[in-house]
Amino acid sequence: MKKYIMAMDEGTTSARCVIYDKQGNTISSAQREFPQYFPKEGWVEHDATEIWATQISVAQEAMLKHNLNYRDIVALGITNQRETTVVWDKVTGKPIYNAIVWQCRRTSDYAEALKKEGYEEMIRRKTGLIIDAYFSGTKIKWILDHVDGARERAERGELLFGTIESWLIWKMTGGEVHVTDYSNAARTMLFNIHTLDWDDEILALLDIPKCMLPKPVECSGHYGETISELFGGPIPITGSAGDQQAALFGETCFEVGEAKCTYGTGSFLLLNTGDRPVFSDSGLLTTIAWGLDGKVSYALEGSAFVCGAAIQWLRDEMKFMSESPESERMALKAGTGEGVYMVPAFTGIGAPYWEPDARGAIFGITRGTDRNQIVRATLESLAYQNEDLLSAMAEDLGQRIVVLKVDGGACRNNFLMQFQADVSDTEIVRCKSIESTSLGAAYLAGLAVGYYDSTDDIIENKEVERVFRPEMDEAKRAALLKGWHKAVKAAIWLAEE
């Protein structure tokens, strides 16, 4: 009887479950969106109980679609939106506040205060991260400071913190297992990426009790089993990684210097730096890629906060299209774009600028500008953001990245992929399966139970669907990038007091 791997992919806007066979083929899948909450400008929240209910329902649905039961699943892997912060009651399992999402900017002022007080280099040296509201640390502090009695309860050991994978594992094991994998821990701004443990100096600085934090573990290993009520019997939980690190693993970027870009809600570009952390002088982050077989691999990361979310904005708020794929046709219809630039800084600008107060802007509009040109400018902006990240990586490494593997929903857009190749002068490789995030979680889970003998088995599964090669001449490329950088500079200037 064939056996399968279940991968739970808990994203920023939806929960998915994909069931894979050994060759990485999708046997069954289900996906459902869950509500987004925006209490104030720049604030973004989720209801963690809605995430839990949605994730379990799609897992059950995926099993039912293929008439599977728990005996057919050899292991379960999880991948998740990172940095999103949940604090819950250790006894009741109820969150004490909505989950604060990675996009949320409510703690920007506190992050800026920490910078002014001179803590940036210490935190960067220990965690690989810059000080920013993006990460979990300041979000935990906000909850403890603003929910009545939260800090006192946390100090008494009554509250637990977790990013989303930690929350799901705790719930699936009936509250028996409170862990976080190294890749997610590395995104909290509390984790020392050298000692692989929570850092007491940073915890003291943010006044966060250590007793509420989960145990850090490798990304592949036996964490526990699901309670029988969920799937009719226990399923081993053996893999966990933050979405971007899971995508790096799913794209088989196992060698030093291999890079991928995920075009999801945001855009995330990661490069494998091997067994040593490379610290950036160009505004990038140093992070843990994964922990596997007693070894840690590190990565350089650049994050653009808005990618697919910009296309959703065109579709849902601007009503320019009814379906996201229509953006490709509209962009091609726009011709050259005629000097229109869109800066999609809906929740600030991420790497390498790190300007949390910047907001979206469109420049170069004339009387003749139509919705097709704005759609094209929006798609182009996603490629420009990634080119900024690629250039920063090249500066840190001393060499340019000539091949970039891509995944995520927006990489289906051929116009965007060709423009990315052109504006970055980089070969873009798209595989037949662009679901690298959930696939990475499945591979990590499968390695832990011997479903795969080694990463060589995984490499054999990858099949290239299309390669986009640069076709733009250097003069045009330079002119377009000059215009983009002027637009970013103007958007940042508009945000200054």
Side-chain angles (χ1 to χ4, degrees):
M1 186 179 292
K2 291 191 73 172
K3 299 289 185 179
Y4 307 104
I5 297 280
M6 175 187 286
M8 291 184 173
D9 182 357
E10 199 298 301
T12 305
T13 58
S14 68
R16 299 177 66 243
C17 179
V18 187
I19 297 173
Y20 290 104
D21 68 10
K22 193 169 184 179
Q23 288 69 46
N25 299 311
T26 298
I27 299 302
S28 182
S29 67
Q31 181 172 359
R32 194 165 300 134
E33 292 188 355
F34 53 83
Q36 312 287 302
Y37 300 100
F38 308 98
K40 296 182 182 180
E41 182 184 355
W43 290 30
V44 189
E45 294 179 0
H46 293 154
D47 182 335
T49 57
E50 290 177 340
I51 288 177
W52 161 247
T54 306
Q55 185 63 73
I56 293 303
S57 69
V58 294
Q60 293 168 340
E61 180 182 342
M63 292 178 72
L64 287 169
K65 278 183 177 179
H66 204 69
N67 197 28
L68 300 174
N69 64 51
Y70 74 96
R71 295 184 185 90
D72 300 310
I73 309 297
V74 297
L76 186 161
I78 301 170
T79 184
N80 58 287
Q81 53 166 316
R82 303 171 304 172
E83 298 95 20
T84 295
T85 297
V86 186
V87 176
W88 67 93
D89 185 292
K90 188 176 183 178
V91 176
T92 67
K94 293 181 179 179
I96 67 166
Y97 188 81
N98 271 352
I100 301 181
V101 180
W102 59 272
Q103 298 163 314
C104 188
R105 307 307 299 173
R106 75 184 66 190
T107 59
S108 293
D109 288 346
Y110 179 63
E112 287 302 313
L114 289 174
K115 290 180 188 179
K116 289 176 182 177
E117 291 166 15
Y119 292 108
E120 190 155 27
E121 184 54 33
M122 181 270 285
I123 287 177
R124 179 173 173 269
R125 176 169 42 84
K126 290 185 173 190
T127 69
L129 309 176
I130 66 162
I131 296 175
D132 194 81
Y134 179 23
F135 306 110
S136 312
T138 59
K139 302 179 194 299
I140 302 170
K141 177 177 170 56
W142 189 94
I143 292 173
L144 295 181
D145 286 344
H146 289 82
V147 176
D148 286 346
R151 186 172 300 285
E152 294 76 14
R153 294 180 65 199
E155 289 170 351
R156 291 196 300 266
E158 297 173 8
L159 301 181
L160 299 178
F161 151 75
T163 40
I164 295 297
E165 91 298 345
S166 183
W167 163 245
L168 291 176
I169 292 170
W170 190 87
K171 291 285 285 182
M172 283 194 292
T173 59
E176 291 295 317
V177 179
H178 187 216
V179 298
T180 183
D181 69 85
Y182 291 160
S183 71
N184 274 294
R187 310 298 298 186
T188 60
M189 212 175 78
L190 306 174
F191 190 71
N192 190 311
I193 61 173
H194 309 286
T195 65
L196 304 181
D197 202 356
W198 305 112
D199 190 90
D200 291 331
E201 185 179 3
I202 301 174
L203 291 177
L205 175 64
L206 272 62
D207 198 14
I208 294 172
K210 194 172 187 177
C211 60
M212 69 186 299
L213 305 181
K215 177 185 176 183
V217 294
E218 289 192 351
C219 297
S220 181
H222 196 285
Y223 312 138
E225 295 181 336
T226 63
I227 54 175
S228 296
E229 294 91 318
L230 297 177
F231 305 112
I235 297 175
I237 306 170
T238 61
S240 177
D243 52 8
Q244 303 315 316
Q245 290 96 328
L248 189 70
F249 201 85
E251 285 289 354
T252 67
C253 294
F254 302 140
E255 298 298 322
V256 175
E258 291 188 315
K260 72 88 196 174
C261 183
T262 297
Y263 296 77
T265 302
S267 178
F268 301 89
L269 206 153
L270 272 73
L271 177 129
N272 187 335
T273 64
D275 60 3
R276 65 184 184 92
V278 173
F279 288 88
S280 174
D281 294 319
S282 309
L284 302 178
L285 306 176
T286 304
T287 197
I288 292 176
W290 50 74
L292 183 65
D293 295 331
K295 299 177 182 178
V296 171
S297 294
Y298 294 88
L300 267 179
E301 175 173 337
S303 308
F305 296 149
V306 173
C307 180
I311 303 172
Q312 289 177 323
W313 172 76
L314 292 173
R315 182 193 67 192
D316 299 339
E317 275 72 40
M318 302 305 291
K319 310 296 183 185
F320 281 4
M321 63 196 79
S322 58
E323 300 290 341
S324 296
E326 292 178 45
S327 61
E328 181 176 344
R329 176 188 57 79
M330 295 178 72
L332 291 170
K333 193 175 179 181
T336 63
E338 298 184 11
V340 179
Y341 287 91
M342 156 65 154
V343 181
F346 299 158
T347 56
I349 301 178
Y353 304 102
W354 296 107
E355 292 291 344
D357 295 324
R359 290 294 177 265
I362 303 174
F363 298 97
I365 295 174
T366 67
R367 178 63 182 81
T369 300
D370 61 18
R371 66 179 61 194
N372 292 323
Q373 288 169 316
I374 292 175
V375 169
R376 180 178 177 124
T378 302
L379 291 178
E380 289 177 345
S381 75
L382 311 184
Y384 287 134
Q385 289 182 132
N386 289 329
E387 166 53 21
D388 286 341
L389 301 177
L390 285 165
S391 293
M393 283 186 178
E395 192 170 322
D396 288 327
L397 297 169
Q399 62 184 54
R400 188 151 188 87
I401 297 166
V402 296
V403 177
L404 182 66
K405 299 177 181 181
V406 297
D407 65 287
C411 87
R412 291 189 181 93
N413 190 306
N414 292 327
F415 168 81
L416 174 57
M417 292 301 98
Q418 185 58 55
F419 192 76
Q420 186 73 75
D422 289 340
V423 82
S424 298
D425 193 24
T426 298
E427 195 172 275
I428 304 298
V429 177
R430 184 175 68 197
C431 286
K432 280 192 173 181
S433 172
I434 61 169
E435 300 296 338
S436 297
T437 305
S438 58
L439 203 50
Y443 287 150
L444 287 164
L447 285 166
V449 296
Y451 193 68
Y452 299 104
D453 292 331
S454 70
T455 53
D456 290 339
D457 289 350
I458 295 168
I459 292 170
E460 291 179 5
N461 284 347
K462 298 301 287 185
E463 190 175 352
V464 173
E465 182 260 329
R466 183 168 173 180
V467 177
F468 298 84
R469 294 180 173 87
E471 300 173 352
M472 187 180 290
D473 66 72
E474 184 57 34
K476 183 177 181 181
R477 176 174 174 269
L480 288 173
L481 287 171
K482 182 179 179 181
W484 162 253
H485 292 135
K486 286 172 67 178
V488 172
K489 188 175 180 181
I492 292 171
W493 176 81
L494 284 170
E496 293 174 356
E497 293 183 3

